[in-house]
Amino acid sequence: MRHLKTLQCIADVAASGSIRQSAARLGITPSALTRKIQDFESELGTPIFERMPQGMRLNAAGELVLRHIHAQLADFERLRSQLADLSGVRRGHVTIAASQAFAHGLIPQEIATYRAQHPLVSFSVLVRDHIHAVSAVAGFEADVALVIAPPPAPEFQPLLILHQPLCALMSKDHPLAAAATIRLRECLQYPIAMPGPTLAIRHLLQAALVRLGLPVHTVVESDSFEVLRSYASGENIISFQIRAGVPQVSGNLVAREIDQRDLPPTQLVLGQLRGRSLSVAASKFVDQISSSLHSRYGDGRTG
Amino acid sequence: MRHLKTLQCIADVAASGSIRQSAARLGITPSALTRKIQDFESELGTPIFERMPQGMRLNAAGELVLRHIHAQLADFERLRSQLADLSGVRRGHVTIAASQAFAHGLIPQEIATYRAQHPLVSFSVLVRDHIHAVSAVAGFEADVALVIAPPPAPEFQPLLILHQPLCALMSKDHPLAAAATIRLRECLQYPIAMPGPTLAIRHLLQAALVRLGLPVHTVVESDSFEVLRSYASGENIISFQIRAGVPQVSGNLVAREIDQRDLPPTQLVLGQLRGRSLSVAASKFVDQISSSLHSRYGDGRTG
DNA sequence: CCATAGTGTTGATCAAATTGCAACACGCCG
DNA sequence: CGGCGTGTTGCAATTTGATCAACACTATGG
């Protein structure tokens, strides 16, 4: 788009920190690029980059400008999506940042459902921990984020909040698989495949385990739910996962909820950047995933 | 601003409905303007104007585009305001749409207070009834609106809501001026200067009067509070005004609250367009007027 | 029913802004 | 020092944009 070209150039230079590098990526010469930036700065009346021997870096004014540019580009994307919807076909691109817990089951399934109706909409999925998922939303890298226990941040606006119990994952022959819900202390009688410290549920577990004061027999610790799952399905080992993160088709794997006296329900939040209006495609995807989660899990809150 | 020029052209043509007219106002030739629009439309892949013998009119897609353009321009204005604030001086322009009730006392006084601290900020005041004030905000004509009993509209986001009693206006020698609060039926013993049907408080009064079922001795009806005030201060006539609309220095005019059993408190709402972020200048003005109203009147709600 | 005045559009011409190329100035590092 | 990295500038080629005049069309009034 013609009138956004300069803005995109600035955003690219801000990201790469180098005029020559951005020039190559944008398919123009460094001189044209440097002039674009100079013209923009002179129109604005303020420099927005610090020129350093190592390259370009945004100054304070530039940070404001970059936020504005990202907002402009996002809003234009939303316009395109609206126009496409007007003519009957929904097209566009949706970027969702999600906790790893949902990367296998929930997200791909929701995307598949959505794309069955609107095949012209494409998706990007960023797997990030709760902190970085929220930053991705704040930095216009992602349209929405689906995370467990997000840090409170004023710019992150929740669109849906569910309270979910934690589940113990085990093979379906496991002695504990008979009960509907189990106590955390029962789990500790068996070897544990422990989520790594970058996973949000690790902190929740940690707190509960300390409260219990019992020894934990950790046989493996991993940042990958895939690894944890494979252990839990193979041996007599127990692992953990939030309920919405449990795959619906799970082979010989079963999930049993942990009694809420041991582990209070955890917030599962779908949210966006406050004050931003989403594209039609993203907005409708949010609607779908909201109603899907809501009908499947209701509001798991009990206390 | 270079990259916004085309957008401004489109907005102007949409407003004027004529290429030649806009061309003259923008200082370019009609041919250049028609080409700008054609280029934009071809980049977008959709026409945004209907070409009629009488001129240009936005089509459905154009309406979306225009909204986007207004949002872009407003957001750029906000950026400029932020940049100015960064360098220590606050500058910018604030447009406020207000009910006529506040056009004399409250608004000019608040603007004067603000401009005493920030003389580089300029103001526009649009006097509109509650319906049109909300539309002005929705159509990006005004940054904020201060209105009585605004119609419920999803795009209008309240920032401050006060519940205000209606007051009877009379000269300070008036027989009723002795009491602190008065009953509506007492007022009807005297001639009334009645607010015109375009004023929001007319509807409130009307409902209460019908409920009372007493004859009303209307000597004059006017859409101008200035006219009503002059009658109320001159003869034994009574007029009405919401409390925050009563001028603080009022000559020989006094205001007495109507008993809330007769007339429930009215909503006084300061609001903006939902999802829009205001310029620093406008945002700080909202802060000032909010705290000023809040400290002066608290929340007048009682029931 | 034609003349008129209004609309937007188009082709050719020309000026102005943008770009590319090559050279330059500066800082860094071995 | 010499090589490599950065951003910047002068000048020429190119592209973009604006102008002017003519055109096609429609509504309106005599």
Side-chain angles (χ1 to χ4, degrees):
Chain A
M1 212 56 200
R2 182 161 268 342
H3 72 281
L4 294 174
K5 221 172 48 181
T6 303
L7 302 187
Q8 285 172 322
C9 288
I10 292 174
D12 197 292
V13 170
S16 75
S18 156
I19 283 198
R20 295 183 119 92
Q21 198 172 321
S22 283
R25 181 163 15 168
L26 298 168
I28 57 177
T29 56
S31 66
L33 189 47
T34 196
R35 266 183 250 266
K36 265 186 199 293
I37 293 176
Q38 284 169 341
D39 289 353
F40 186 85
E41 286 177 329
S42 86
E43 283 188 17
L44 210 60
T46 318
I48 60 172
F49 281 104
E50 291 177 25
R51 272 75 170 173
M52 337 229 320
Q54 299 84 359
M56 313 278 278
R57 210 177 57 189
L58 288 172
N59 64 20
E63 297 285 352
L64 293 175
V65 171
L66 184 64
R67 193 183 319 277
H68 167 77
I69 290 176
H70 279 150
Q72 299 262 62
L73 296 176
D75 199 56
F76 185 74
E77 205 38 53
R78 168 174 140 267
L79 172 65
R80 297 214 63 118
S81 182
Q82 285 180 333
L83 290 177
D85 238 45
L86 236 193
S87 58
V89 288
R90 177 168 308 159
R91 61 175 76 230
H93 187 85
V94 181
T95 303
I96 180 168
S99 296
Q100 199 198 140
F102 314 117
H104 264 257
L106 204 156
I107 297 283
Q109 182 183 331
E110 292 294 335
I111 290 178
T113 304
Y114 188 94
R115 280 180 48 81
Q117 290 188 336
H118 307 290
L120 295 177
V121 177
S122 53
F123 284 82
S124 298
V125 180
L126 311 177
V127 175
R128 303 281 166 88
D129 65 57
H130 45 181
I131 306 284
H132 290 97
V134 169
S135 336
V137 163
F140 288 88
E141 292 171 53
D143 299 309
V144 292
L146 180 67
V147 287
I148 298 168
E155 71 270 20
F156 185 70
Q157 178 178 22
L159 300 170
L160 171 76
I161 301 180
L162 287 180
H163 294 263
Q164 290 246 317
L166 204 69
C167 293
L169 290 180
M170 62 199 81
S171 93
K172 64 169 182 278
D173 333 307
H174 195 284
L176 288 181
T181 76
I182 56 185
R183 300 300 300 256
L184 190 53
R185 114 175 56 86
E186 299 177 284
C187 299
L188 298 188
Q189 297 163 356
Y190 300 89
I192 301 292
M194 181 67 77
T198 64
L199 298 176
I201 63 171
R202 166 64 175 269
H203 300 339
L204 309 170
L205 265 175
Q206 194 80 43
L209 291 173
V210 166
R211 215 177 308 123
L212 224 57
L214 293 177
V216 182
H217 180 203
T218 301
V219 296
V220 62
E221 174 179 306
S222 172
D223 290 341
S224 159
F225 278 116
E226 193 164 8
V227 171
L228 297 177
R229 267 202 308 277
S230 72
Y231 272 90
S233 67
E235 311 183 37
N236 238 7
I237 298 176
I238 289 181
S239 189
F240 300 93
Q241 176 62 289
I242 197 170
R243 187 171 61 182
V246 177
Q248 299 204 299
V249 288
S250 37
N252 71 334
L253 209 64
V254 297
R256 294 291 175 260
E257 296 184 9
I258 306 283
D259 192 298
Q260 299 193 356
R261 284 170 290 183
D262 295 330
L263 214 51
T266 310
Q267 275 199 335
L268 189 171
V269 180
L270 178 67
Q272 65 165 98
L273 179 58
R274 187 177 300 280
R276 173 174 175 192
S277 32
L278 296 177
S279 72
V280 178
S283 170
K284 296 297 182 184
F285 183 65
V286 165
D287 289 349
Q288 175 196 306
I289 205 170
S290 293
S291 78
S292 164
L293 281 175
H294 202 271
S295 73
R296 204 181 308 165
Y297 302 115
D299 183 348
R301 176 200 289 278
T302 47
Chain B
M1 213 56 200
R2 172 157 231 62
H3 72 281
L4 296 174
K5 222 171 47 182
T6 303
L7 302 187
Q8 286 171 323
C9 288
I10 292 174
D12 197 292
V13 171
S16 76
S18 157
I19 283 198
R20 297 184 118 92
Q21 199 171 321
S22 283
R25 185 166 9 174
L26 298 167
I28 58 177
T29 55
S31 65
L33 189 47
T34 198
R35 265 181 247 268
K36 265 187 198 295
I37 293 177
Q38 284 170 340
D39 290 352
F40 186 84
E41 285 177 328
S42 87
E43 283 187 18
L44 209 60
T46 318
I48 60 171
F49 281 103
E50 290 177 25
R51 272 75 170 173
M52 336 231 319
Q54 299 85 356
M56 311 279 278
R57 211 179 56 189
L58 288 172
N59 64 19
E63 299 283 353
L64 293 175
V65 171
L66 184 64
R67 195 185 318 277
H68 167 77
I69 290 177
H70 279 150
Q72 299 261 60
L73 296 177
D75 200 57
F76 186 74
E77 204 39 54
R78 169 173 140 268
L79 172 64
R80 298 216 61 118
S81 184
Q82 285 181 332
L83 291 177
D85 240 46
L86 236 193
S87 57
V89 289
R90 176 168 308 159
R91 60 175 78 228
H93 187 84
V94 180
T95 303
I96 179 167
S99 297
Q100 199 198 137
F102 314 117
H104 265 256
L106 202 156
I107 296 282
Q109 182 184 331
E110 292 294 336
I111 290 178
T113 304
Y114 188 94
R115 281 182 47 81
Q117 290 187 338
H118 307 291
L120 294 178
V121 176
S122 54
F123 283 83
S124 298
V125 180
L126 311 178
V127 175
R128 304 281 166 87
D129 66 57
H130 46 182
I131 307 285
H132 290 97
V134 169
S135 338
V137 164
F140 288 89
E141 293 172 52
D143 300 308
V144 292
L146 180 66
V147 287
I148 298 167
E155 72 269 21
F156 185 71
Q157 178 179 24
L159 301 169
L160 172 76
I161 301 180
L162 287 180
H163 294 263
Q164 289 246 316
L166 204 68
C167 292
L169 290 180
M170 61 199 81
S171 91
K172 66 167 182 279
D173 331 309
H174 196 285
L176 288 180
T181 77
I182 58 186
R183 300 300 300 255
L184 190 54
R185 111 174 59 84
E186 298 178 282
C187 298
L188 297 188
Q189 296 163 357
Y190 300 90
I192 301 292
M194 181 67 76
T198 64
L199 298 176
I201 63 171
R202 167 64 174 269
H203 300 341
L204 310 170
L205 265 174
Q206 196 80 43
L209 292 174
V210 166
R211 216 177 306 126
L212 225 54
L214 294 176
V216 183
H217 179 203
T218 300
V219 296
V220 62
E221 174 179 305
S222 173
D223 289 342
S224 160
F225 278 117
E226 194 165 9
V227 170
L228 297 177
R229 267 203 308 277
S230 72
Y231 273 89
S233 65
E235 312 183 36
N236 239 7
I237 299 176
I238 288 181
S239 189
F240 300 93
Q241 175 61 290
I242 197 170
R243 187 169 62 183
V246 176
Q248 299 204 299
V249 287
S250 37
N252 71 332
L253 209 64
V254 296
R256 294 290 176 264
E257 296 184 8
I258 307 283
D259 191 298
Q260 299 192 356
R261 283 170 289 180
D262 295 328
L263 215 52
T266 311
Q267 274 200 338
L268 189 171
V269 181
L270 178 68
Q272 64 164 96
L273 179 61
R274 188 177 299 280
R276 173 175 174 193
S277 33
L278 297 177
S279 70
V280 177
S283 169
K284 295 297 182 183
F285 183 65
V286 164
D287 289 349
Q288 177 195 306
I289 205 169
S290 293
S291 77
S292 164
L293 281 175
H294 202 272
S295 72
R296 206 182 305 165
Y297 301 114
D299 185 348
R301 176 200 289 277
T302 49

